[in-house]
Amino acid sequence: MVGVPGKSKGCSTCRRRKKGCDQKRPTCGQCASSGYVCGGYQRDLSFIIHPFSKSAEKAYYVPRSAQTVSLALMPSLERTAVDMQCRALFWDLYLPHGIAEVHDSMLKKCNHPPNWTSVLLEMPKDEPALDLAFSALSVSRVGRSNQDVRLVKESTKIYGRALKDLQRALADSSRSQSEEVLAACSLLCLYEVFEGGDATNKSVGWVSHAQGAARLIELRGPRQHIKRQAHHVFLGARLPILFSAIVRRKRTFLTDLEWLTIPWRDMPVKTYHDILVDHATRIPGLLEQFDSLRAKSSPGTHHALNELLRSCRELKDTMTKWEHGKKQFSRPVLIKNEPQEDDMYPFQHEMSWENHLFLNASLVYWSAQLVISVTISQIELLLVSLGFPRAEVYTSTVTSQQQARQFAICIAQSVPYALMSDMGALGINHITFPLCLAFAHFTESNEERICAWLMKVNNDMRRQGIRIRPFDDPAKANYHRDTFSPGDPTGDSKNDIVTGVALTSASEQKEVKSEWPLSPSTTPNGGSFISTFIYENPAKYYYDATEPG
């Protein structure tokens, strides 16, 4: 906006990164030297809505009337303006800022973006699936931030169109191999994290999207993820793929040596976060192996169980060494909690970090250690039930159950930092899956005070679009019996799967796979169904969403 005091005249990329711009044309020197794509000098429009006070309204005789025009009926030009404004606002609502922003020299040396979504600014704008996926996510976030139901409903319609176009892209050999289509898969997975966790129909849409992204990445091969854009989209997809594999208790291709090395061929060095995820990718395979051995439950399996126990302990020790090798500044700092009225916070301290990346790494570490500790405990108890001497099974004085509780507490103590305003919506994305694991542990342990506080946290998250099934209906959250107890799970196994956190056995998954519920975003049409494609086609994991009326 020309002539407006206080408005930076720098390029859009420098303004977003809050860096000084030398205003060179056509590309500024700051972007060129930093390896960023210069966004140019065109200004985005800023709409500031400031309601009149009652006295001002009366003085100016401004008529007030309820807004009855639906976004679906707005002229296309106005809809486009709303969409563009939501996209501009998305980055402020999603990415961390202030004290949570990243100022890490190591990341700058590796030319890493602070979050994989940042590479969207560098991608071509000619892929409809990516364009629609980003529109759905940005409109949804702006709607939730302003508690505007019309925008949230509009985002579900855009989401349905994005699904249809993504299926067309996946069926087109000339489009399916592009980084833009892969980024669209990841954005739709992110949309499901925020908008898909409705307790009424118990969506596991994010699991389906993560599986689809996993299959697409596997078909592309590791060499297709070396260049900057594809590499960072691949890094962003690894965690959802890992978490969904833990839910499904199935090994993934990510543990193969070529997938642990080739995508980093042009990177100066692996970040400490990448190394941690490398270790954690082994967990789903260990869970799958344990399910197979537990199904047999015979004394003849004790040798294999002992070998599995050794592998789990070795992985646990490896991740502990990773934790001990971290730099001091990347560790959390304990801050004494100042009790507030009705905050219900059950701990004496809470945790704080220098930036959101350090928080994310800690949450991944604690989540991985929590799952491994529980699995070790289950194996130990199974060996004892098969007649193995207890003294030979338990090798440490601190039991795995006690260690699991400590990891769950660490996750819970990170909640205040993850949900602070400076974290943006990314903090919610970081904390959701780990928080489900922690809640399951505290529920199994009957720690009512902590569970009551977590229920309050859930209510706060609901206002921002997150609906976590176990929190909404803890009486039916019996998924934790299989996750944190030995033997066969009890209760409704279908309920276990749809939580999105349940670690049910492979046989149970096969039973209910064909009955997975639809995404809440597609249900208004009344005609959505799970697509059936040949196995090689990653579109098999996506819903066929018809155009909303």
Side-chain angles (χ1 to χ4, degrees):
M1 297 176 64
V2 179
V4 178
K7 290 290 184 180
S8 170
K9 295 180 176 59
C11 73
S12 59
T13 303
C14 288
R15 285 187 291 118
R16 178 178 57 80
R17 297 176 61 225
K18 298 179 181 178
K19 302 293 184 182
C21 179
D22 56 17
Q23 302 180 41
K24 290 183 179 179
R25 312 276 175 150
T27 301
C28 83
Q30 176 76 292
C31 291
S33 61
S34 303
Y36 286 89
V37 174
C38 182
Y41 298 90
Q42 182 177 354
R43 289 294 178 266
D44 298 325
L45 295 177
S46 297
F47 299 96
I48 302 174
I49 302 174
H50 183 72
F52 282 108
S53 65
K54 289 186 177 181
S55 59
E57 184 180 56
K58 184 177 180 180
Y60 286 97
Y61 301 99
V62 179
R64 303 283 294 187
S65 60
Q67 175 64 270
T68 58
V69 180
S70 168
L71 278 175
L73 301 178
M74 285 183 176
S76 59
L77 183 60
E78 188 171 350
R79 290 166 61 92
T80 301
V82 171
D83 182 44
M84 290 178 61
Q85 179 65 9
C86 288
R87 291 176 182 230
L89 293 173
F90 170 77
W91 301 107
D92 288 334
L93 295 173
Y94 183 70
L95 292 179
H97 52 275
I99 62 173
E101 195 173 358
V102 176
H103 303 281
D104 190 86
S105 58
M106 180 64 175
L107 286 177
K108 292 178 180 177
K109 178 182 177 182
C110 297
N111 198 22
H112 273 244
N115 183 260
W116 76 269
T117 55
S118 299
V119 302
L120 296 176
L121 297 170
E122 307 169 12
M123 289 185 170
K125 307 296 190 294
D126 55 356
E127 173 51 60
L130 177 58
D131 187 65
L132 287 168
F134 184 51
S135 288
L137 182 61
S138 57
V139 171
S140 162
R141 285 295 85 210
V142 173
R144 290 292 180 185
S145 176
N146 294 279
Q147 298 184 359
D148 190 327
V149 177
R150 296 178 307 138
L151 283 177
V152 176
K153 288 182 177 179
E154 178 72 5
S155 77
T156 66
K157 298 176 183 179
I158 302 173
Y159 174 85
R161 296 198 294 272
L163 284 177
K164 288 182 66 176
D165 204 280
L166 180 60
Q167 286 185 311
R168 287 192 288 266
L170 292 172
D172 185 342
S173 58
S174 64
R175 295 172 63 190
S176 61
Q177 295 293 306
S178 71
E179 288 82 9
E180 292 78 22
V181 170
L182 177 57
C185 292
S186 296
L187 284 181
L188 292 180
C189 181
L190 191 56
Y191 180 94
E192 282 287 353
V193 169
F194 286 114
E195 298 293 341
D198 195 321
T200 57
N201 46 25
K202 302 168 286 188
S203 169
V204 286
W206 75 271
V207 177
S208 294
H209 284 300
Q211 286 181 259
R215 189 62 186 141
L216 181 57
I217 288 173
E218 187 175 12
L219 290 174
R220 284 164 52 91
R223 285 178 172 77
Q224 294 296 317
H225 301 93
I226 295 175
K227 293 184 179 179
R228 173 182 165 80
Q229 293 178 9
H231 178 75
H232 290 296
V233 176
F234 164 69
L235 293 185
R238 280 214 306 171
L239 270 184
I241 292 173
L242 170 62
F243 290 157
S244 69
I246 290 176
V247 170
R248 297 167 51 247
R249 299 175 77 91
K250 290 288 185 181
R251 179 189 177 277
T252 75
F253 64 93
L254 294 176
T255 58
D256 297 342
L257 180 61
E258 61 179 1
W259 284 101
L260 296 172
T261 54
I262 294 176
W264 286 267
R265 191 187 67 185
D266 291 349
M267 291 290 111
V269 65
K270 269 192 178 183
T271 66
Y272 79 115
H273 185 275
D274 291 343
I275 294 172
L276 172 63
V277 178
D278 287 352
H279 296 323
T281 55
R282 294 174 51 192
I283 294 176
L286 296 175
L287 297 176
E288 181 179 16
Q289 187 179 352
F290 176 55
D291 286 342
S292 176
L293 293 173
R294 183 171 57 176
K296 300 175 183 177
S297 292
S298 63
T301 62
H302 73 274
H303 290 298
L305 282 170
N306 268 315
E307 183 62 24
L308 178 61
L309 182 61
R310 184 197 64 77
S311 297
C312 289
R313 286 172 174 165
E314 181 269 327
L315 176 58
K316 184 177 177 64
D317 290 342
T318 299
M319 289 192 295
T320 301
K321 290 179 182 177
W322 173 91
E323 169 68 12
H324 291 163
K326 286 166 55 177
K327 299 293 185 181
Q328 187 62 38
F329 60 81
S330 67
R331 299 179 184 277
V333 176
L334 282 177
I335 301 175
K336 187 170 179 59
N337 179 57
E338 297 295 337
Q340 309 258 340
E341 186 177 359
D342 297 329
D343 69 352
M344 299 172 62
Y345 188 73
F347 308 107
Q348 292 184 351
H349 297 85
E350 57 187 62
M351 293 188 179
S352 178
W353 287 260
E354 281 198 10
N355 61 58
H356 71 94
L357 290 180
F358 296 153
L359 163 73
N360 191 28
S362 295
L363 288 173
V364 173
Y365 171 74
W366 293 327
S367 299
Q369 288 283 39
L370 175 56
V371 174
I372 284 294
S373 297
V374 168
T375 304
I376 289 174
S377 176
Q378 291 177 340
I379 297 172
E380 291 172 340
L381 292 174
L382 182 56
L383 283 170
V384 171
S385 70
L386 293 175
F388 226 70
R390 187 179 181 89
E392 295 183 26
V393 173
Y394 292 95
T395 58
S396 67
T397 55
V398 180
T399 67
S400 297
Q401 293 98 321
Q402 291 173 318
Q403 292 173 337
R405 182 179 186 274
Q406 188 56 48
F407 292 128
I409 288 176
C410 287
I411 292 172
Q413 288 178 321
S414 67
V415 168
Y417 184 89
L419 299 186
M420 69 178 181
S421 59
D422 278 5
M423 278 296 300
L426 186 59
I428 301 175
N429 187 34
H430 285 340
I431 196 66
T432 300
F433 186 82
L435 197 56
C436 285
L437 293 177
F439 180 77
H441 178 83
F442 293 129
T443 303
E444 174 67 15
S445 305
N446 295 318
E447 302 200 41
E448 296 180 0
R449 184 185 172 202
I450 299 178
C451 288
W453 171 70
L454 290 177
M455 291 290 289
K456 179 181 179 296
V457 169
N458 177 58
N459 292 333
D460 294 337
M461 295 175 70
R462 282 177 65 91
R463 286 192 286 272
Q464 302 186 58
I466 299 294
R467 293 176 177 86
I468 305 175
R469 170 66 182 168
F471 290 84
D472 288 332
D473 194 354
K476 295 182 180 179
N478 45 35
Y479 65 92
H480 62 272
R481 298 182 185 279
D482 184 56
T483 311
F484 297 102
S485 301
D488 293 328
T490 58
D492 184 1
S493 62
K494 294 180 183 179
N495 221 20
D496 295 348
I497 278 285
V498 299
T499 58
V501 190
L503 307 187
T504 52
S505 66
S507 61
E508 290 169 323
Q509 289 182 20
K510 198 176 289 186
E511 252 179 45
V512 302
K513 186 174 181 181
S514 62
E515 301 181 18
W516 275 8
L518 299 176
S519 165
S521 325
T522 61
T523 52
N525 309 310
S528 301
F529 56 90
I530 297 179
S531 305
T532 53
F533 289 82
I534 59 174
Y535 178 71
E536 286 72 19
N537 193 330
K540 65 173 285 190
Y541 297 109
Y542 291 92
Y543 305 115
D544 183 10
T546 57
E547 185 77 18

